[in-house]
């Protein structure tokens, strides 16, 4: 039944999941010209201490009403927020200052669309609507195969042959890099080998025993030891059979990590949730199909106002967990929703499936990064949401610059 429901969600066009008042042609990817972000100058910084505790939540968040009252950032402020730190696998660190070009500054607008009731502080709301992806046909194929696990305990998503998008707080708490991020690793999904490799090693030991060495094979002590070994192998085989069909990970070292200065504030103020995203460059390229980056549309341009994301929730060890849920509210930089999720799923790529106007088929793109559970101020009332950071045109341009090293391929998104 669960597999059938997943099949319907993934292969039913988005317009068929909503009422007839919204037309199919409304839900398309539309390329737009994005601002240019140009690297200006790079400075060497002191090496970080890597002593921060992994922090899954920001304590204070400027909510929807708060954001509405904020003045429009100046060009110089935006350039400061979008400048970025790079930390390398050898522990060295740089700061790159950027210039923003071709940007039209517009007044900040609150684009809230719906009101919601106050809820208790939970990451799973009411009936748990998450799906554990256990079927190999789903797990090892796109889009689920794009999900990755970080050694710091978060999730991420493949966005190029050598890059992973995740949440900034998974590697940096706003003041320093978290413990374990100096030797950061990324786990790519793979299925367990049914033979497990253990059988081959066991057969080698058997051959060595048969070829000589100890000549007391018929002694009581030797027979008892062999009986114990047989019981251990039998128990191991039972455990291995239970594990079949469960994912394991191919771990790859991270070559460098990019984080915007809007998040990595050091001692110069609080980290801004709007900039809770980071890009990891892998030491070795992978051969998996990855998911392209897109620019987040408004809720009205999302089929049924629904989003998708998959991650490795801590309460379901080593299982990939998928959810398909509606957005409750939005601001210029954040999506507020009650998608069921637990810690471990933070850093997941939030995506949509919209129609490609040129090729006439449906295509998935990442439009946000799942940041986690937060309390926010809405109309003077503290409400709790699960929050995602939207990929705006400026953030698209920045992440594209990180991937390609220049802005030549980042004119449209």
């Amino acid at each position: 039944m669960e597999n059938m429901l997943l099949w319907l969600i993934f292969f039913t066009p988005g317009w068929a999941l909503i009422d007839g008042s919204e037309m199919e042609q409304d839900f398309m990817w539309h390329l737009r010209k994005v601002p240019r972000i140009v690297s200006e100058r790079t400075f060497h910084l002191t090496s970080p201490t890597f002593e921060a505790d992994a922090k899954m939540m920001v304590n204070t968040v400027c909510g929807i009403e708060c954001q509405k009252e904020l003045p429009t950032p100046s060009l110089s402020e935006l350039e400061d927020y979008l400048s970025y730190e790079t930390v390398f696998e050898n522990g060295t660190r740089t700061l790159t200052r950027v210039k923003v070009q071709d940007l039209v500054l517009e007044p900040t607008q609150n684009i809230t669309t719906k009101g919601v009731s106050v809820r208790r502080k939970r990451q799973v709301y009411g009936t748990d609507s998450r799906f554990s992806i256990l079927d190999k046909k789903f797990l090892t194929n796109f889009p689920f195969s794009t999900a990755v696990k970080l050694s710091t305990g978060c999730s991420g998503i493949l966005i190029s042959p050598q890059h992973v998008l995740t949440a900034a707080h998974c590697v940096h708490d706003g003041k320093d890099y978290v413990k374990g991020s100096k030797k950061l690793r990324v786990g790519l999904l793979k299925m367990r080998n049914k033979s497990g490799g253990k059988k081959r090693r066991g057969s080698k030991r058997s051959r060595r025993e048969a070829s000589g060495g100890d000549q007391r094979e018929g002694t009581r002590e030797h027979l008892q030891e062999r009986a114990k070994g047989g019981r251990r192998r039998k128990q191991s085989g039972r455990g291995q059979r239970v594990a079949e069909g469960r994912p394991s990970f191919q771990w790859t070292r991270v070559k460098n990590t990019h984080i915007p200065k809007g998040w990595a504030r050091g001692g110069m103020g609080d980290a801004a949730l709007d900039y809770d995203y980071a890009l990891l460059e892998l030491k070795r390229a992978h051969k998996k199909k990855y998911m392209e980056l897109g620019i987040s549309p408004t809720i009205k341009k999302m089929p049924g106002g629904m989003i998708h994301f998959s991650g490795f929730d801590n309460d379901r060890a080593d299982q990939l967990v998928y959810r398909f849920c509606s957005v409750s509210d939005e601001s210029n930089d954040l999506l507020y929703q009650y998608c069921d999720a637990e810690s471990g799923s933070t850093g997941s790529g939030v995506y949509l499936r919209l129609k490609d106007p040129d090729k006439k088929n449906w295509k998935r793109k990442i439009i946000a990064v799942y940041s986690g559970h937060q309390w926010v101020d809405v109309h003077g009332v503290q409400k709790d949401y699960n929050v995602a950071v939207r990929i705006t045109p400026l953030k698209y341009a920045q992440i594209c610059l990180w991937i390609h090293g220049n802005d030549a391929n980042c004119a449209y998104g």
Side-chain angles (χ1 to χ4, degrees):
M1 178 63 74
E2 184 170 298
N3 285 344
M4 179 63 71
L5 182 56
L6 282 171
W7 183 269
L8 288 172
I9 289 172
F10 270 86
F11 298 102
T12 303
W15 55 269
L17 298 174
I18 58 177
D19 61 52
S21 64
E22 298 184 79
M23 302 298 291
E24 175 184 358
Q25 58 263 29
D26 291 335
F27 304 113
M28 292 186 179
W29 296 112
H30 296 286
L31 285 181
R32 67 176 87 173
K33 189 171 176 60
V34 299
R36 294 179 61 205
I37 295 183
V38 181
S39 299
E40 186 183 38
R41 189 177 176 186
T42 298
F43 306 85
H44 287 280
L45 302 176
T46 58
S47 295
T49 61
F50 299 98
E51 292 182 350
D53 293 322
K55 188 178 183 181
M56 297 302 180
M57 292 192 296
V58 179
N59 290 328
T60 56
V61 177
C62 181
I64 299 170
E65 285 296 295
C66 169
Q67 289 197 4
K68 183 179 179 180
E69 295 171 2
L70 289 175
T72 303
S74 66
L75 181 60
S76 62
E77 287 174 326
L78 286 173
E79 289 174 340
D80 180 53
Y81 297 150
L82 293 167
S83 295
Y84 58 92
E85 281 192 11
T86 304
V87 64
F88 300 89
E89 62 176 337
N90 64 0
T92 59
R93 180 174 55 145
T94 61
L95 169 65
T96 301
R97 293 289 180 186
V98 302
K99 286 291 183 183
V100 178
Q101 300 176 359
D102 304 329
L103 174 68
V104 178
L105 289 173
E106 298 177 353
T108 301
Q109 296 180 352
N110 176 38
I111 49 179
T112 300
T113 58
K114 301 177 183 178
V116 292
S117 58
V118 179
R119 304 214 182 203
R120 293 184 293 124
K121 182 177 179 180
R122 294 182 62 194
Q123 291 178 283
V124 174
Y125 299 90
T127 303
D128 192 340
S129 61
R130 298 172 295 165
F131 298 92
S132 288
I133 307 303
L134 301 176
D135 191 308
K136 182 178 178 180
K137 289 182 289 186
F138 284 106
L139 192 63
T140 57
N141 286 287
F142 186 88
F144 297 120
S145 58
T146 63
V148 301
K149 188 172 185 176
L150 274 59
S151 57
T152 53
C154 288
S155 299
I157 190 164
L158 299 171
I159 63 170
S160 91
Q162 207 160 350
H163 294 91
V164 168
L165 185 65
T166 188
H169 76 253
C170 295
V171 293
H172 194 291
D173 73 347
K175 293 183 171 60
D176 189 18
Y177 291 84
V178 304
K179 298 170 185 175
S181 61
K182 185 176 181 178
K183 296 181 179 180
L184 186 62
R185 297 180 303 147
V186 168
L188 280 67
L189 275 169
K190 68 174 185 177
M191 294 305 296
R192 296 181 188 273
N193 187 344
K194 289 186 178 181
S195 65
K198 294 182 179 180
K199 187 175 181 180
R200 290 192 297 273
R201 288 196 295 272
S203 62
K204 276 187 177 181
R205 285 196 296 271
S206 297
R207 286 195 297 270
R208 284 198 301 270
E209 290 170 1
S211 63
D214 188 349
Q215 300 298 318
R216 298 174 297 163
E217 286 192 7
T219 66
R220 179 181 299 175
E221 293 82 359
H222 189 76
L223 290 172
Q224 288 175 343
E225 185 61 32
R226 289 190 63 182
K228 288 179 182 178
R231 284 195 295 271
R232 284 196 297 268
R233 285 193 294 274
K234 190 174 181 180
Q235 290 168 357
S236 175
R238 282 198 298 267
Q240 189 177 331
R241 285 193 295 273
V242 171
E244 286 177 8
R246 294 280 299 278
S248 60
F249 301 94
Q250 178 184 348
W251 292 96
T252 302
R253 289 287 297 273
V254 171
K255 184 178 178 181
N256 58 61
T257 302
H258 300 297
I259 299 178
K261 285 296 291 179
W263 180 267
R265 302 302 293 167
M268 299 182 294
D270 293 331
L273 184 62
D274 299 352
Y275 295 91
D276 187 14
Y277 57 92
L279 188 77
L280 315 179
E281 182 179 354
L282 303 179
K283 199 167 182 178
R284 295 194 308 270
H286 63 86
K287 296 180 180 179
K288 292 177 176 284
K289 185 177 179 180
Y290 58 88
M291 198 174 295
E292 292 181 23
L293 201 64
I295 294 175
S296 175
T298 62
I299 294 178
K300 292 180 180 179
K301 296 295 183 180
M302 300 177 186
M306 308 286 276
I307 56 174
H308 311 248
F309 64 98
S310 302
F312 296 95
D313 300 47
N314 286 345
D315 65 332
R316 300 190 185 184
D318 285 338
Q319 292 183 15
L320 181 64
V321 182
Y322 163 77
R323 60 231 92 198
F324 174 63
C325 45
S326 61
V327 178
S328 299
D329 241 321
E330 62 181 343
S331 65
N332 290 329
D333 287 280
L334 302 175
L335 297 174
Y336 303 89
Q337 29 78 15
Y338 291 121
C339 301
D340 290 332
E342 289 287 353
S343 59
S345 62
T346 57
S348 300
V350 176
Y351 59 93
L352 295 178
R353 183 170 175 259
L354 302 180
K355 199 164 188 179
D356 190 327
D358 296 328
K359 298 180 180 179
K360 305 297 183 183
N361 59 353
W362 294 82
K363 189 174 188 177
R364 296 174 180 86
K365 290 185 181 182
I366 304 158
I367 53 95
V369 178
Y370 177 54
S371 182
H373 178 274
Q374 304 294 346
W375 285 98
V376 298
D377 184 25
V378 184
H379 306 298
V381 177
Q382 284 289 305
K383 296 184 179 180
D384 67 311
Y385 290 93
N386 285 336
V387 178
V389 179
R390 302 176 71 166
I391 305 299
T392 63
L394 272 173
K395 292 169 188 172
Y396 177 95
Q398 183 184 53
I399 297 168
C400 186
L401 171 67
W402 290 343
I403 294 173
H404 297 287
N406 59 68
D407 67 318
N409 298 314
C410 306
Y412 292 89

